[in-house]
Amino acid sequence: MQFPEGVRIDGITGDVTPSTGRYLKKLSALRDLYEAPELVDAYIAQHGDVDAYDVIEYRPEGSDICFGTTIMHPGKIGREYFLTRGHFHAKSGRGETYYTQSGQGVLLLHSRSGETRAVEMRPGICAFIPPDWAHRSVNTGTEKLVFVWNCTIDAGHDYAGIATRGMRQLAVEQNGRLAVIGNPKYRD
Ligand code: F6R
Ligand code: ZN
């Protein structure tokens, strides 16, 4: 039998108490997602293989839903920023929400039929990610970007499509400001 529970989420550190699991992504694991992977090598040569983001999960046994936090470190690779892998959910018809707690960023999305959107990530904004939209979050600020995600357990992740084709959009710094542009390297 499942029992209700209050889970404490720290909006600054992203800590989840209690949690059921977590993982850490190092910058090197994200190398080939950047438009200029050689700049990732240069960054690592200078700063080491830094932490890019942590994911902390609350995934109760037998539940249909789960939630948790993603804690993204700030950093820049050329004109791009630290980012997550990005994925479609493996199961069609499964959406998600991303509720930003601290920091600032942008959520890049595209649908299976090729529409694109970008949603600002800042405290107070809860992004609605409809089913069948790929999503990648990007930390465009100088502090940690912390958000709470909430989805169904059976949603799953399909990383392969984004890893091979890329996202349709890039978040870049242009003339000192954030710009969301089409990805010239996107493989249709
Ligand atoms: C779950 C979800 C988030 C991400 C996390 C890391 O469906 O969207 O929990 O998994 O923000 O991003 P990815 O998984 O793209 O590396
Ligand atoms: Zn997702």
Side-chain angles (χ1 to χ4, degrees):
M1 185 173 174
Q2 292 170 44
F3 291 96
E5 183 165 41
V7 177
R8 181 175 150 68
I9 294 183
D10 186 315
I12 302 296
T13 65
D15 281 344
V16 177
T17 314
S19 64
T20 58
R22 63 186 298 153
Y23 67 84
L24 165 68
K25 280 283 161 209
K26 291 282 191 182
L27 180 60
S28 58
L30 308 166
R31 177 187 187 275
D32 296 327
L33 302 174
Y34 283 93
E35 61 172 356
E38 67 279 5
L39 296 182
V40 176
D41 302 335
Y43 188 104
I44 291 172
Q46 195 179 350
H47 304 281
D49 191 6
V50 299
D51 297 349
Y53 60 94
D54 292 88
V55 175
I56 309 178
E57 303 173 332
Y58 179 77
R59 198 178 273 269
E61 185 82 38
S63 171
D64 57 336
I65 56 171
C66 57
F67 58 86
T69 56
T70 301
I71 303 135
M72 299 182 66
H73 295 265
K76 288 201 65 208
I77 303 292
R79 62 177 184 164
E80 290 188 279
Y81 304 88
F82 277 22
L83 43 72
T84 58
R85 287 169 288 181
H87 58 271
F88 281 99
H89 290 157
K91 192 171 175 72
S92 181
R94 294 293 185 267
E96 187 164 10
T97 59
Y98 278 10
Y99 187 22
T100 301
Q101 303 295 299
S102 55
Q104 67 181 59
V106 65
L107 179 61
L108 304 176
L109 306 108
H110 66 244
S111 70
R112 294 198 187 271
S113 51
E115 289 118 313
T116 58
R117 290 287 186 280
V119 176
E120 188 184 5
M121 298 180 80
R122 65 177 155 82
I125 306 249
C126 184
F128 167 55
I129 302 169
D132 300 297
W133 281 74
H135 41 288
R136 165 181 287 165
S137 37
V138 182
N139 184 350
T140 60
T142 53
E143 310 293 328
K144 283 181 185 173
L145 172 64
V146 176
F147 61 92
V148 175
W149 48 267
N150 193 314
C151 63
T152 58
I153 293 229
D154 66 358
H157 299 91
D158 172 8
Y159 291 110
I162 303 302
T164 52
R165 281 191 281 281
M167 289 293 289
R168 286 180 180 268
Q169 304 174 102
L170 298 182
V172 298
E173 190 181 83
Q174 240 173 33
N175 305 319
R177 307 185 44 194
L178 168 67
V180 175
I181 61 170
N183 176 4
K185 288 188 167 173
Y186 180 76
R187 292 184 211 94
D188 217 341

